Amino acid sequence: MHTSIFRPGTAAAVAVLATGTVLTAGCSSSGGAPGVASSSSASSTDSGSSSSSSTSPSSTSSSSSTSSAAAGASYTKGQKIGAGTLQNQIKAAIVKAGGTYSTTTTSSVLTSTSQAKITGDRTDATVHETIRGKKVTVIVVNGAAYISGTGLGAKPYLKVTQNSTGSLAESFKPLLNIAGGGTLTNTVQWTVVSTSAGGTTLTASPAEGTDVTDTLDGKGLPLSTVTKATAGTSTIKYFDFGKPVTVTAPPASQVADVSGVKST
């Protein structure tokens, strides 16, 4: 969720557009994958509250009106919650449900599917994305990111770590935020617009012209993130909580280090 929370997201994916421009997309601070700060940039509306979803301590109002309990968190209509606080609450709910989940993202720019697994402070994820006809796969596991579909390098996958060097490596390093779980501040505030035993709906405006709506179920698990911005609307849906997820690095024979590789 815009806490986009591993919104993972969703997730995060690297797209190589027809122009040859490389951008990070599909990982909004609210969508993509709960629990992870967004690395999205540029023109994707999918990143709705992306990096700007940073959110000052949350100002929670603890009145006794109807609230929805979620993994130790409760919500009250009209309550203000900082993005960082909300991120942690949603992540706790996912961990309580088994620590795994899947997402789909749709927008005018891209479609994507992802699977993610939270282990302690680390999140491993696989994202398959199609952006303007280009198919891209991003695998984030054991602190490294592997990207295919870039058309760059001598092998199918480029590997990126914190030690990778070069301008292309730097453009891909935001993907490593998934591995680290990412963190958000409470600068951006979410507002609870409705809540009941069945679930909670929250809204935020992380940037001018951008409005995000997150929907949680009665256990505090994310159901959807809808981001409306000038460029269009994107929808992230979350499901399959607790179902087995395996994230595996590609064979070494298919991987080239991104260091030294130049974008064309």
Side-chain angles (χ1 to χ4, degrees), residues 210-237:
T210 300
D211 297 309
V212 186
T213 300
D214 277 352
T215 303
L216 312 180
D217 70 7
K219 297 179 180 179
L221 293 168
L223 295 177
S224 66
T225 297
V226 178
T227 301
K228 295 183 179 181
T230 303
T233 299
S234 71
T235 301
I236 301 172
K237 295 184 178 180

Side-chain angles (χ1 to χ4, degrees), residues 103-170:
T103 73
T104 61
T105 301
T106 56
S107 77
S108 60
V109 178
L110 63 80
T111 59
S112 73
T113 61
S114 74
Q115 291 185 314
K117 180 179 181 180
I118 303 172
T119 304
D121 292 332
R122 192 183 87 204
T123 299
D124 295 335
T126 301
V127 182
H128 299 288
E129 207 165 48
T130 301
I131 302 181
R132 298 178 186 175
K134 282 283 188 179
K135 292 186 177 181
V136 177
T137 295
V138 176
I139 301 171
V140 181
V141 61
N142 295 330
Y146 303 85
I147 306 103
S148 73
T150 65
L152 304 173
K155 296 185 178 181
Y157 286 89
L158 293 177
K159 180 180 180 179
V160 183
T161 68
Q162 292 294 357
N163 294 324
S164 298
T165 59
S167 59
L168 188 60
E170 292 305 315

Side-chain angles (χ1 to χ4, degrees), residues 9 45 60 65 154 169 183 185 187 208 211 213 216 218 220 236-237 244 250:
T45 63
T60 60
S65 58
T183 56
T185 68
T187 303
E208 184 176 355
D211 297 309
T213 300
L216 312 180
I236 301 172
K237 295 184 178 180

Side-chain angles (χ1 to χ4, degrees), residues 94 97-102 115-118 239-246:
I94 294 173
T100 59
Y101 62 95
S102 298
Q115 291 185 314
K117 180 179 181 180
I118 303 172
F239 55 95
D240 285 352
F241 297 99
K243 292 193 175 182
V245 168
T246 300

